[in-house]
Amino acid sequence: METLLEQIESGKLWQFPGGIHPPEQKSLSNQAAIGSLPLPEYLVLPLKQHIGANGQLLVNKGEHVLKGQVLTQPGTNWSLPIHAPTSGTITDIKPMPSAHPSAMPELSIVLTPDGDDTWCELETRASLDGLDNKALIDIIHHAGIAGMGGAGFPTYVKADSAKTIEYLVVNGVECEPYITADDMLMREHAKDIIRGMEVMMSILSPQYALVGIEDNKPEALAAMQQAAKHNSKILVRSIPTKYPSGGEKQLIKVLTSKEVPSGGIPADVGVLVQNVGTLFAVSEAVYEGKPLIERVVTVTGNTIHKPQNVWALLGTEVKHLVYSQGFTPVENQRVIMGGPMMGFTLPTVRIPVVKTTNCILAPDNQELAVAGQEQACIRCSACADACPQTLLPQQLQWFAKGQEYDKLEEYNLFDCIECGACSYVCPSEIPLVQYYRVAKAEIREQKLEKVKAERAKERFEARKARLEREQEERQNRHKRPARSAPAKDKAKVSEALERVKQKRPEQSAVQAAIERAKAKKAEGDTSALEPDNSAVALERAKRKEQARKYKEEKAGSDKGSAPKDAVAAAIARAKAKKAAQTADSVESQEQDPRKAAVAAAIARAKAKKSGDEPKLGSEDDPRKAAVAAAIARAKAKKAEQDPEQNSASGSDDVKTDDPRKAAVAAAIARAKAKKAAKGDEPEAAVEDDSADPRKAAVAAAIARAKAKKAAKDAEQLEEPTVDDEPEDPRKAAVAAAIARAKAKKAAKDAEQVEEPTVDDEPEDPRKAAVAAAIARAKAKKAAKDAEHVEEPTVDDEPEDPRKAAVAAAIARAKAKKAAKDAEHVEEPTVDDEPEDPRKAAVAAAIARAKAKKAAKDAEHVEEPTVDTEPEDPRKAAVAAAIARAKAKKAAKEAEQEPVVDDKTEEDVSSGSDTQTDALSPEDKRKAAIRAAVERAKAKKKAQEQEGNDLS
Ligand code: SF4
Ligand code: SF4
C-alpha cells in the first residue's frame, strides 16, 4: 500500500464532503491582462488591514512620503506595518470607513498622491544567499505581507511556525465565482510566485510544495507547472472544480487527504497553506525589496463596462476602482467586495482596497438575483448536504437566532468557513451565513470581553498579591527591629514602669492630702484644729479623772467627820483671817499707803470680777468657794484697814484715793465674798427641806456645769477685750495666760491669807496644822482648778472673734453693772451692825459645812458634767448664754439677799478680829513668821504642781 507521500507524489487527490457547483462567471474578467489604474485623488490607508494589531504611526499630517515608505511601526500581537502606495502628502489621519460589512470607521491615513509615484530606496537581491530564516521572516514581516486569499493572516507568523511543516500547500484554486485575480497572476507572474514559494520552502523546509489549481484554469496551471519545473519539491496539481475546494481545509484534504481537526490549524497536521498572491508578495519583498502596497483586484460584474483584473494600490477607494473600469450602476445596485459566495455587500463605495480585497463585484439584478423573503426552515437538510465542514447549518441557524452561543460552539460553529454553500442551496432563502457571521462576532466579542475581564482579574490579583507582599514586608521590617533589640526595649519599658510606680505613692499622698483638705474644708475651719485639741482634751479628761478619784477618796475619808471638819475649817479660816489681818496690819504699817490704795483698787477689781468668779467657785467646788470667800474677805478686810491706816497716817494717797470709795469697795468685796460663801445656802436649805439629796446633787451638778461653762465663756470672751484684738488667737492665748497668772496669784494670795489661820489656833496646834495643810491643799486645788478652767480658753478659741468680742463686751458690761449694783446694795450694809456675831459666825460655818457636803455629794454626779461638755460650738454658745443668764439671775438674787450674810460674815470677821486682838504682839509675830514659811512652802508646792500640770 502506497504511503501518503507516495500517493501525493503519484498525484492522488482526495475529495472533501459537501460542496456545490455554482456558475463560475470567471470569463468576464480573465480575458484581459491585469490592468493598471490611474492614481486616485487620494488614498485611504487603514492602519489595520489584517488579522492582528495595527502598528504605531510613524508619520504626521502634512508629511510627504515616498512610495513604499513605511507609515506605521509594527509591534507585537501579529502587527504589520503599512506603507505608502505612492509618493504624496499625508493630508489627514482620521477614522475612515473600513472594509467590513459594517463599514465601521477605523483610524486611517489619508494620502494625497503627488503624481510622481516616487519610490523610496529599495533593497533588492537576486538570491536568498546570506539570508537566514529570521532575515527572511523579518523581510516578510516588515513588508507588511498578510494572507491575500481572504483571511489576512500575517505571513511572517505562518513562516515562523514552530511546528514541522511537511507540505506547503499553495492555493491557486480560486473557486469563488467571478474572481480571476489569482488566475491572471499565475498566468503573468508564475515565476515570481514560484520564487516566493521557494522562499517559504527555504524557511519551512517542507517535503513538498503542493500547488492546487482548479481545472478550470488551464493557463494558470500550465504557467505554474512551467515555472516550477526546476524544483522537484514543487508539485502542481490540477484539482476538480468544486466549490469550496479553495477552502484551506478542503484543499488540504484534496491534496494531502489530511483533515484539520476542529478548532485546529493546518500546522497541526504538518501543513502550511499560502495563497499565490501572498507568495508573489513575498517574492517582491525578498528580491525586489518592495513592500505590499498593491495587489490584483478583479473588477467584474455586469455593471462594469470593462471587467478586468487590475493592479490596485492599497487604499484605493472602490468607487475609483469601479469607475475606472466603467462602472454603470443600476437600480438597487449592489457592489460586493469579494465573490458572490463569500463576499459582502458594501454599504458604500468609499471603502478602500485592502490587502485582502481580491474582487469587486458589481452585478446587476439579473446577474445576481436579490435574495427573496426569508422563509421558515423546512428541514430539507440541503444545507447540511452542501456543507463542506459536515456541519448542521439549520441547527446553527436555529441557535444563532436564539442567541444560544453555547449551543453554537457545541455545534462547532467556528468550523464553518462561511463558504455560503448552505445558503446557496437553501430553498427557504435563509441567509444562513449572515446568521453565522453575526453569531461569531457576538461570541468573539464575548470572548474578548472575557479575556479582558480575565486580564483585569489577573491584574487585580497581581496587585492584591503585591499589596499583601508589601504589607508583609512592612510587617517584617517592623518585626525585625523589635527582635533585633528586645532587651534594650524591655529595659526601657521596665524603667518607665518603675518610674510610674515611684510616682504613684507621691501622687496618692498628694491626693490623700487634697482629699483631707477638702474634707476639712467641708467640715469647717474649726474641724482642722480637732487633731490638736484631741491631745489636750485627753489630757484634760485624765486630769479630771484624777481629780474625780481624788475627790471620791477624799469624800470617803471625810464622810464621817465632814461636819466637824467643816466647822474646824471654818474656825481655822476665821483664825487664819484674823491672823492675816494682824499680819496685814503689821505689813500695812510697813507698806506704802499708795500700795495699799493700789491693793484696794485690785481688790475692788477682783471683787467686781468675782461677780462671776464667786459663783463659779461656789458652784464648782464649795471648798473653792470657801477659799475664794476667805480670800475676798481677807482682801476686803485689808481694803478696809488700808483706808483706816491711810487716814491715820495722813498720807497723800488718801487724798488721791477716796476713803469712801475704798470703804465701799471693801463692803462690795465683803458682800461678794459673803455671797460666794452663802451662795449655796439656799440650795442647802432646799436640800434640807426637800429631803432629796439626789435631786439637790443633780441640780447642783447642773448649776456647776452651767456656771463652769459661763465662766469659761466669760473668760474666753473677756480675753480678747483686753487687747481689743479678737482676730488674733495668740493674743487671746496671752490673755488667757495672764488670766491664769492672775488666778494663780489669787490662789497664792488666798494661801497667804489662810496660812496664818493655821497659826491662829492657840488651843490646839495640831488641829491648826491640819487645818493649814487642808487649806494649802485647797489652795493648790483651787490653783489647779483655775488652770483646768482656764486651759480650755486657749484651745477653745472662739470661732467668730467679733461675736466673741461682742459677747465679752456684753458680759463685762453686765459684770460691771452687777458689781455696781452690788456696791449700791452693799453700801447700806456697811452700817449694818450684827445683832449677835457669834451666832452669825456659827450659822455661817454651818452653812458652809452644808455647802461643802452638797458639793461633795455633787462631785459624784459631777463626772458626767465633764463628759457632757457640749462639743458643738453652737450648743456651747447656747449653753453659755443660758449660764450667763442664770449667773445674772443668781447675781441679782445674791444682791437682794446679802443682808443676812453680811451680818454673819461681819460677825465672823468681827469675832475673829476680837480673837486676834486678844493675841499678844509676840504671838502675832510668830504667827506671821509661820504664815510666811507656810506661804513659801505652798508657793513651792504650787509651782511644782503647776510644772507637773504643764508637763
Ligand atoms: S457556510 Fe458554513 S455551514 Fe454553511 S455550508 Fe459553508 S461551511 Fe457549512
Ligand atoms: S437548506 Fe434551508 S430549509 Fe433546508 S434545512 Fe437548511 S436551512 Fe432549512
mmCIF file of all heavy atoms in Angstrom, residues 377-383 394 426-428 430 432, ligand 2:
data_model
loop_
_atom_site.group_PDB
_atom_site.id
_atom_site.type_symbol
_atom_site.label_atom_id
_atom_site.label_comp_id
_atom_site.label_asym_id
_atom_site.label_seq_id
_atom_site.Cartn_x
_atom_site.Cartn_y
_atom_site.Cartn_z
ATOM 1 N N CYS A 377 -37.494 27.414 7.917
ATOM 2 C CA CYS A 377 -36.719 26.237 7.547
ATOM 3 C C CYS A 377 -37.669 25.056 7.370
ATOM 4 O O CYS A 377 -38.542 24.798 8.213
ATOM 5 C CB CYS A 377 -35.695 25.949 8.628
ATOM 6 S SG CYS A 377 -34.767 24.430 8.381
ATOM 7 N N ILE A 378 -37.485 24.362 6.346
ATOM 8 C CA ILE A 378 -38.341 23.216 6.061
ATOM 9 C C ILE A 378 -37.633 21.913 6.396
ATOM 10 O O ILE A 378 -38.131 20.847 6.086
ATOM 11 C CB ILE A 378 -38.784 23.241 4.591
ATOM 12 C CG1 ILE A 378 -37.544 23.198 3.691
ATOM 13 C CG2 ILE A 378 -39.655 24.460 4.311
ATOM 14 C CD1 ILE A 378 -37.872 23.099 2.196
ATOM 15 N N ARG A 379 -36.520 22.022 7.018
ATOM 16 C CA ARG A 379 -35.771 20.844 7.416
ATOM 17 C C ARG A 379 -35.514 19.918 6.202
ATOM 18 O O ARG A 379 -35.609 18.697 6.317
ATOM 19 C CB ARG A 379 -36.546 20.059 8.481
ATOM 20 C CG ARG A 379 -36.842 20.805 9.744
ATOM 21 C CD ARG A 379 -35.574 21.006 10.569
ATOM 22 N NE ARG A 379 -35.840 21.752 11.825
ATOM 23 C CZ ARG A 379 -34.935 21.978 12.751
ATOM 24 N NH1 ARG A 379 -33.700 21.546 12.559
ATOM 25 N NH2 ARG A 379 -35.239 22.648 13.811
ATOM 26 N N CYS A 380 -35.075 20.563 5.172
ATOM 27 C CA CYS A 380 -34.813 19.780 3.963
ATOM 28 C C CYS A 380 -33.442 19.164 3.957
ATOM 29 O O CYS A 380 -33.123 18.306 3.151
ATOM 30 C CB CYS A 380 -34.998 20.628 2.711
ATOM 31 S SG CYS A 380 -33.779 21.975 2.580
ATOM 32 N N SER A 381 -32.570 19.675 4.832
ATOM 33 C CA SER A 381 -31.200 19.205 5.011
ATOM 34 C C SER A 381 -30.310 19.455 3.798
ATOM 35 O O SER A 381 -29.229 18.882 3.699
ATOM 36 C CB SER A 381 -31.163 17.722 5.367
ATOM 37 O OG SER A 381 -31.486 16.945 4.239
ATOM 38 N N ALA A 382 -30.741 20.241 2.867
ATOM 39 C CA ALA A 382 -29.916 20.592 1.720
ATOM 40 C C ALA A 382 -28.678 21.332 2.178
ATOM 41 O O ALA A 382 -27.572 21.165 1.618
ATOM 42 C CB ALA A 382 -30.724 21.426 0.740
ATOM 43 N N CYS A 383 -28.855 22.159 3.131
ATOM 44 C CA CYS A 383 -27.723 22.913 3.672
ATOM 45 C C CYS A 383 -26.698 21.971 4.268
ATOM 46 O O CYS A 383 -25.482 22.187 4.131
ATOM 47 C CB CYS A 383 -28.196 23.924 4.682
ATOM 48 S SG CYS A 383 -29.155 23.206 6.050
ATOM 49 N N GLN A 394 -28.775 24.160 9.570
ATOM 50 C CA GLN A 394 -30.098 24.557 10.078
ATOM 51 C C GLN A 394 -30.099 24.672 11.613
ATOM 52 O O GLN A 394 -30.739 25.536 12.182
ATOM 53 C CB GLN A 394 -31.174 23.595 9.589
ATOM 54 C CG GLN A 394 -31.145 22.213 10.217
ATOM 55 C CD GLN A 394 -30.167 21.275 9.552
ATOM 56 O OE1 GLN A 394 -29.257 21.699 8.822
ATOM 57 N NE2 GLN A 394 -30.341 19.982 9.748
ATOM 58 N N CYS A 426 -30.200 26.673 0.127
ATOM 59 C CA CYS A 426 -31.399 26.704 0.988
ATOM 60 C C CYS A 426 -32.605 27.129 0.143
ATOM 61 O O CYS A 426 -32.610 28.229 -0.424
ATOM 62 C CB CYS A 426 -31.194 27.651 2.150
ATOM 63 S SG CYS A 426 -32.627 27.785 3.247
ATOM 64 N N PRO A 427 -33.630 26.310 0.112
ATOM 65 C CA PRO A 427 -34.835 26.687 -0.635
ATOM 66 C C PRO A 427 -35.651 27.753 0.061
ATOM 67 O O PRO A 427 -36.464 28.443 -0.557
ATOM 68 C CB PRO A 427 -35.596 25.369 -0.722
ATOM 69 C CG PRO A 427 -35.163 24.583 0.445
ATOM 70 C CD PRO A 427 -33.750 24.962 0.666
ATOM 71 N N SER A 428 -35.421 27.888 1.311
ATOM 72 C CA SER A 428 -36.173 28.911 2.085
ATOM 73 C C SER A 428 -35.498 30.263 2.028
ATOM 74 O O SER A 428 -35.942 31.212 2.687
ATOM 75 C CB SER A 428 -36.326 28.482 3.538
ATOM 76 O OG SER A 428 -37.061 27.277 3.642
ATOM 77 N N ILE A 430 -32.845 31.312 3.281
ATOM 78 C CA ILE A 430 -32.423 31.783 4.615
ATOM 79 C C ILE A 430 -30.968 32.193 4.497
ATOM 80 O O ILE A 430 -30.120 31.396 4.082
ATOM 81 C CB ILE A 430 -32.615 30.682 5.656
ATOM 82 C CG1 ILE A 430 -34.080 30.268 5.759
ATOM 83 C CG2 ILE A 430 -32.109 31.146 7.017
ATOM 84 C CD1 ILE A 430 -34.321 29.055 6.654
ATOM 85 N N LEU A 432 -28.224 31.961 5.810
ATOM 86 C CA LEU A 432 -27.608 31.244 6.932
ATOM 87 C C LEU A 432 -26.239 31.804 7.292
ATOM 88 O O LEU A 432 -25.882 31.951 8.484
ATOM 89 C CB LEU A 432 -27.491 29.773 6.563
ATOM 90 C CG LEU A 432 -28.839 29.062 6.320
ATOM 91 C CD1 LEU A 432 -28.600 27.660 5.731
ATOM 92 C CD2 LEU A 432 -29.630 28.972 7.594
HETATM 93 S S1 SF4 B 2 -31.483 24.277 3.457
HETATM 94 FE FE1 SF4 B 2 -32.661 25.863 4.427
HETATM 95 S S2 SF4 B 2 -34.664 24.968 4.618
HETATM 96 FE FE2 SF4 B 2 -33.331 23.335 4.177
HETATM 97 S S3 SF4 B 2 -32.826 22.603 6.107
HETATM 98 FE FE3 SF4 B 2 -31.229 24.040 5.571
HETATM 99 S S4 SF4 B 2 -31.978 25.886 6.437
HETATM 100 FE FE4 SF4 B 2 -33.670 24.558 6.436
#
